[in-house]
Amino acid sequence: MTRRSCVCLMKMVLSRLSSATIATQILVLGNGKLIETGTHAELMKKEGVYYELFSAQANRYISEQDNNLDGQQPAKS
């Protein structure tokens, strides 16, 4: 009996980058070109484009949560 291996590829376009943290490989594109690749941990360590985007989104999320605790409405995008 012959065993076949299967390589699966899933493309995801994310608006919430926290969903990418479990990916085994993240590709960061800019102007139609591949500019960074790696796991979440690797890309955060590089402190490049992914790091900047992820950090900005995380900081905004934290800020919105703090505002909600103060009884304020979240900012509209």
Side-chain angles (χ1 to χ4, degrees), residues 14 17 19-28 34 36-43 50:
L14 304 170
L17 293 176
S19 300
T21 60
I22 61 170
T24 55
Q25 183 78 11
I26 300 168
L27 307 176
V28 181
L34 180 64
E36 290 179 344
T37 183
T39 65
H40 170 75
E42 291 166 345
L43 292 172
Y50 178 85

Side-chain angles (χ1 to χ4, degrees), residues 1 3-4 16 22 28 32 34 47 51 54 58 67 69:
M1 187 163 161
R3 292 182 107 179
R4 290 186 179 184
R16 195 158 285 238
I22 61 170
V28 181
L34 180 64
E47 296 189 11
Y51 172 87
F54 188 90
N67 289 339
L69 292 175

Side-chain angles (χ1 to χ4, degrees), residues 42-53:
E42 291 166 345
L43 292 172
M44 292 300 284
K45 195 178 219 182
K46 288 181 185 177
E47 296 189 11
V49 173
Y50 178 85
Y51 172 87
E52 293 294 328
L53 292 170

Side-chain angles (χ1 to χ4, degrees), residues 14-15 18 23 31 43 66 74 77:
L14 304 170
S15 59
S18 61
N31 295 322
L43 292 172
D66 288 346
S77 298

